Amino acid sequence: MPTPFSSGDAYGPGDFKHPGLSEPRTKEEWREYLDYQLPPRPALLPPEVYKRLSAKERHLHNQARAAHHSALIIVRTSQMKTIHHQIRRRMMTNAHQPAGARRGIVLDGPATLGKSTLVKTFAYDFEHELRGTYPERFLNQYIVDDHMIDYTPVVYINIPSQATPKDLSIALAQYLGQRYRSGATKSDITRLVLEKMRMVGVELVIIDDAHFMDLSFKEGKVVNDHLKYIANHTAATFIYTGVDLEHSGLFLEGIGGARVTQTAGRNTLLHMTEYAIRTRAEKADWVSVITAMEEALVLYKHRPGTLTGEWEYLYRRTGGNISSLAELIREAAADAVLTEAEGIDRKLLDGIAINEHAQSTYEANWGQTEPTPPPPGNPKNPAAEDEEGEAEAS
């Protein structure tokens, strides 16, 4: 009889894979990300049906709800839409320019704001559009010098800590499946990578966590020269994301250097920021994010509008950080299922600790000064504030 570790038919490749996603490192893993289906939203059963479920049936039903809450949804915020528009415009501008480096985009901002999610979501949309417009490109494959050539319009690289220019070329080669000989130099690997990128039709290159490159005073110029060389010989649009890139060696030749690099001259710097609630429009935008997440909940006793009514409290808990907000709501949804509370309210939220930065900031600034929450069924609506209140908030 076959065992989980035998070569029998009971188990096959992939049976032990984690059901969720990890950061893609190769074009195959990127395609898995593109093809990944989010856990479906399970239906809320009629109360009498839910009560009659056997222990196993209830466990499976709760597992399905937990999977849905874990994935939650990616809220396409106004900031995401604006930056996506700027990236798309830049790609359209670059598409048929003469040979030479195209203008790229550097997306800068504090950690945990969702920069990686934003650029991956754009690349996801972009490649799916190509699949719909040119399906034949994704079916055709051919061999050149024993190398598989298949259409690869998107390259997504997550930079390892203290990466050198050679590390970047190696990461590109591994993503593309480009083999290179042991002991190959940076120049050798880069040449092979550029040839492969040209043949497989790369149009978009995302260098995520660019702050992990060695941008010290000594190495900053070397990194910039390498990036410039790759961009000069690739007819693709480059997007870099990272933390405090504006003041790093990516824009200055080594930290502390005075001369602006050509990298700065060839890229547009976009800043991603936490949410603000100074104006009525900003408040409405923040509330719309909460509403989208709340509407995704599958809980039997949750009162719709409860989280929306706590918009100000949720802002203070998370500092306007959408990643922290998603973390808090995911944790709360999991707790509501585990404890059979089946609803999320202020008391439940108060009992959940999220990431240390958000938690310590909240406790220091607001922990002892929380206002009395609005009465149930009558959530405070920021859109209803009068002009005087908005002026004071500004």
Side-chain angles (χ1 to χ4, degrees):
M1 181 176 181
T3 71
F5 306 100
S6 73
S7 58
D9 295 332
Y11 295 88
D15 284 338
F16 306 118
K17 288 177 62 177
H18 192 284
L21 287 170
S22 58
E23 289 287 358
R25 297 166 300 170
T26 66
K27 60 185 178 182
E28 290 80 15
E29 291 177 354
W30 172 255
R31 289 163 188 164
E32 287 184 13
Y33 167 75
L34 293 177
D35 294 334
Y36 180 74
Q37 298 294 317
L38 290 174
R41 175 179 181 141
L44 281 175
L45 303 172
E48 63 276 9
V49 175
Y50 180 69
K51 291 178 181 178
R52 290 200 303 267
L53 293 178
S54 67
K56 181 177 181 180
E57 290 170 335
R58 180 168 296 196
H59 175 70
L60 292 174
H61 179 62
N62 289 345
Q63 274 194 323
R65 290 195 292 151
H68 170 73
H69 290 149
S70 175
L72 206 58
I73 58 171
I74 294 177
V75 181
R76 296 190 178 237
T77 65
S78 60
Q79 185 168 218
M80 177 183 285
K81 292 175 182 177
T82 297
I83 295 175
H84 280 191
H85 175 80
Q86 292 169 304
I87 296 173
R88 185 174 296 275
R89 185 177 63 201
R90 177 56 50 86
M91 292 191 70
M92 292 174 66
T93 304
N94 284 342
H96 297 285
Q97 282 192 11
R102 271 68 171 163
R103 296 295 190 262
I105 286 177
V106 175
L107 182 58
D108 198 3
T112 73
L113 283 189
K115 296 183 295 294
S116 297
T117 298
L118 186 149
V119 293
K120 287 204 294 285
T121 301
F122 176 85
Y124 177 97
D125 292 344
F126 173 67
E127 184 155 336
H128 273 286
E129 287 176 7
L130 289 174
R131 288 184 178 192
T133 306
Y134 308 106
E136 68 284 353
R137 294 184 183 179
F138 295 89
L139 298 175
N140 296 332
Q141 298 178 346
Y142 53 95
I143 304 295
V144 174
D145 295 332
D146 294 328
H147 292 173
M148 171 67 72
I149 304 300
D150 51 356
Y151 186 40
T152 309
V154 172
V155 170
Y156 173 82
I157 300 296
N158 195 275
I159 296 297
S161 179
Q162 291 300 297
T164 64
K166 184 175 181 179
D167 292 332
L168 176 58
S169 290
I170 289 173
L172 289 167
Q174 291 174 339
Y175 180 94
L176 295 166
Q178 174 63 54
R179 290 172 295 181
Y180 53 90
R181 62 178 176 80
S182 176
T185 66
K186 175 191 71 177
S187 297
D188 292 335
I189 300 170
T190 303
R191 175 180 55 79
L192 293 171
V193 163
L194 291 174
E195 290 175 0
K196 189 68 169 282
M197 291 174 72
R198 178 178 58 81
M199 287 190 288
V200 300
V202 174
E203 297 182 51
L204 176 65
V205 179
I206 296 171
I207 308 294
D208 203 3
D209 287 333
H211 56 276
F212 282 146
M213 289 188 289
D214 188 348
L215 298 171
S216 62
F217 184 79
K218 178 181 178 182
E219 298 296 335
K221 186 178 186 304
V222 177
V223 170
N224 275 285
D225 286 346
H226 191 58
L227 292 173
K228 173 190 169 187
Y229 181 80
I230 293 176
N232 272 342
H233 296 86
T234 306
T237 298
F238 279 69
I239 300 176
Y240 308 89
T241 78
V243 176
D244 199 26
L245 294 178
E246 183 178 10
H247 303 105
S248 75
L250 188 65
F251 280 84
L252 299 173
E253 291 188 344
I255 293 174
R259 187 157 63 88
V260 176
T261 65
Q262 290 193 40
T263 306
R266 297 182 182 207
N267 293 283
T268 298
L269 179 64
L270 302 179
H271 291 280
M272 195 167 177
T273 61
E274 295 169 332
Y275 273 82
I277 54 171
R278 294 182 298 267
T279 68
R280 181 178 300 178
E282 289 172 343
K283 293 172 185 176
D285 202 20
W286 174 247
V287 169
S288 70
V289 174
I290 298 170
T291 301
M293 292 184 180
E294 183 169 28
E295 289 176 347
L297 296 174
V298 184
L299 298 170
Y300 280 92
K301 298 179 183 178
H302 184 75
R303 297 181 61 179
T306 301
L307 296 185
T308 303
E310 297 285 5
W311 66 272
E312 190 172 9
Y313 164 79
L314 289 171
Y315 184 83
R316 291 172 174 175
R317 279 296 307 270
T318 63
N321 184 306
I322 191 170
S323 296
S324 296
L325 176 67
E327 178 189 357
L328 179 59
I329 293 178
R330 284 189 179 103
E331 292 272 352
D335 198 66
V337 173
L338 286 171
T339 63
E340 300 184 355
E342 291 295 341
I344 301 174
D345 56 17
R346 172 77 75 90
K347 181 179 179 182
L348 189 150
L349 291 168
D350 277 339
I352 293 175
I354 53 175
N355 66 82
E356 177 58 24
H357 175 69
Q359 196 69 27
S360 59
T361 301
Y362 170 71
E363 290 172 356
N365 297 331
W366 304 105
Q368 304 301 321
T369 59
E370 273 297 322
T372 302
N378 183 30
K380 185 179 178 183
N381 183 355
E385 292 183 350
D386 59 20
E387 294 295 332
E388 182 180 353
E390 181 178 335
E392 292 174 355
S394 301

